[in-house]
Amino acid sequence: MISGRKEEIVIVGGGLAGTSAACILAEAGRSVLLIERDAEPRHKVCGEFLSIEAQTYLTRLGIDLEGLGASRISRLRLIRKRKLTEVALPFAARGLSRRTLDEALLDQARIRGARIIRGQAVRSISADPSQVHAEIAAGDPISADAVFLATGKHDVRGMKRASAGTMDDLIGFKVHYRLAMRQQQALEGLVEVILFSGGYAGLQMVEHGIANLCLVVSRTCFDQVGKSWDALLDHIASECPHLAERLQGAQSLFERPLAIFQIPYGFLHEPDSSEQQGLFRLGDQVGVIPSFTGDGMSIALHSGCLAASMYLAHGRTSSIFHHRIRSDIQRSIRLASILNRAVRHAAGQQAVFHFCRTWPAAMQHVTTLTRVHEASVHRALVAS
Ligand SMILES: Cc1cc2nc3c(=O)[nH]c(=O)nc-3n(C[C@H](O)[C@H](O)[C@H](O)COP(=O)(O)OP(=O)(O)OC[C@H]3O[C@@H](n4cnc5c(N)ncnc54)[C@H](O)[C@@H]3O)c2cc1C
């Protein structure tokens, strides 16, 4: 029996999933404590591409994308070696840095009455039939009626995700650049996806004239090029002169690239009859969609809003939520995983490129199938 402080709801992690749940629960008058490991705003490895579903949730949560300076993106350009093809997106997307977006969401949670502790990490979580217990790095343990686990890529002791069957040999990198004016103008309104041997990269504008280059590469490729960022960029640029041109005269805004290892792409939480109630898994802790076609931010927001509204309707029976979210996101995660596997190989990249060039309409359809379904978004929004 763990004693210590008692709370109604504890949310662990102040990214998109955790803050969206905090907003809905606090708005409904519930007592919410959110614990975020980072003491200060921080950049995160992310393509920073906001789909229409993500935007719908953000508007509901009071985020003014226009006011925050988010870029507008209407076309996708796919690039492989010296060839490129372009297609109109089936929606108007936006680009905004995670540093700005996550802080804006934390502010919204605070405004609605959530209490926020920053700079402390939850070390472990355990559950018994009536309560969930969180042990924090500093201070007394906390017991709560419900804990919303929203730690993104980072597992917490006691609640580790099952990694079997996931593609976890990939590394994600991100750098913000100030591009030369001519290149910035050329990139306006576009997300450029570059296929290269060993991985793929996304380049787009975010706020205040900043460009985000985010890429995913296999560990084997990274090792082969000599385990250095500069060597990796040279490798991509030698295969794809388009990127070399974009980065000519660009100023890197980071001292070194941000990196993330062992992303468990394809993970999907499988609820079982023995799982304790009161522990709600959100965002990357419930499902990780590969970022090639992915829509991880809208899954995070969808899971946060859905879990909060289901807690308000059904109390701490988290298994109802886990079954619902699984059925909402499994199709997109499966399809995105198939595409992610395909683009890891030259033949698959060629096939995807050829497909996009020959059937742009089918390509638009695929981007729709890899996103959270409109009806699921509608249901979660009505409930919240
Ligand atoms: C390379 C790459 C590119 C991507 N590109 C896109 C894209 O363009 N568009 C898109 O929609 N999605 C994209 N995604 C996916 C998206 O970034 C994630 O799905 C999304 O951030 C998940 O949100 P989250 O709230 O679950 O986790 P996070 O945003 O990671 O937030 C988790 C929070 O928990 C905190 N935390 C961690 N551990 C603890 C702890 N022990 N105690 C307290 N706090 C803790 C962290 O500090 C963090 O703030 C990409 C992912 C990758 C890897």
Side-chain angles (χ1 to χ4, degrees), residues 107-286:
D107 281 347
Q108 288 298 327
R110 197 178 288 114
I111 290 165
R112 287 163 168 79
R115 285 164 297 133
I116 296 173
I117 298 180
R118 291 193 77 158
Q120 287 198 32
V122 168
R123 279 217 181 116
S124 68
I125 295 178
S126 59
D128 62 39
S130 60
Q131 286 186 328
V132 185
H133 313 282
E135 191 199 320
I136 49 177
D140 291 338
I142 303 174
S143 298
D145 287 341
V147 167
F148 290 71
L149 180 61
T151 51
K153 286 112 198 137
H154 309 277
D155 283 334
V156 174
R157 204 182 336 132
M159 294 294 158
K160 252 178 101 66
R161 290 167 295 181
S163 61
T166 62
M167 291 166 264
D168 61 358
D169 60 335
L170 297 166
I171 311 175
F173 287 104
K174 171 176 129 173
V175 177
H176 278 177
Y177 288 98
R178 177 88 50 202
L179 299 184
M181 190 47 79
R182 207 162 58 86
Q183 296 304 329
Q184 186 179 317
Q185 284 163 351
L187 188 61
E188 227 46 80
L190 284 165
V191 54
E192 294 188 329
V193 177
I194 299 158
L195 302 174
F196 60 89
S197 47
Y200 52 87
L203 181 68
Q204 63 170 59
M205 299 305 295
V206 287
E207 71 272 25
H208 307 315
I210 294 168
N212 179 21
L213 175 66
C214 182
L215 61 86
V216 173
V217 61
S218 72
R219 183 176 275 279
T220 318
C221 171
F222 189 59
D223 289 351
Q224 275 166 0
V225 300
K227 297 186 184 174
S228 105
W229 168 249
D230 289 341
L232 179 62
L233 269 191
D234 287 347
H235 162 72
I236 304 171
S238 68
E239 225 181 89
C240 172
H242 184 86
L243 184 67
E245 194 183 320
R246 281 277 179 268
L247 297 184
Q248 206 163 35
Q251 177 201 354
S252 168
L253 302 178
F254 293 176
E255 231 169 75
R256 64 181 74 84
L258 296 182
I260 177 153
F261 297 82
Q262 290 182 320
I263 316 156
Y265 279 152
F267 162 75
L268 184 57
H269 175 63
E270 197 165 338
D272 70 57
S273 53
S274 67
E275 82 180 13
Q276 298 283 10
Q277 303 303 310
L279 190 281
F280 294 76
R281 286 182 173 272
L282 313 182
D284 282 356
Q285 285 291 317
V286 77

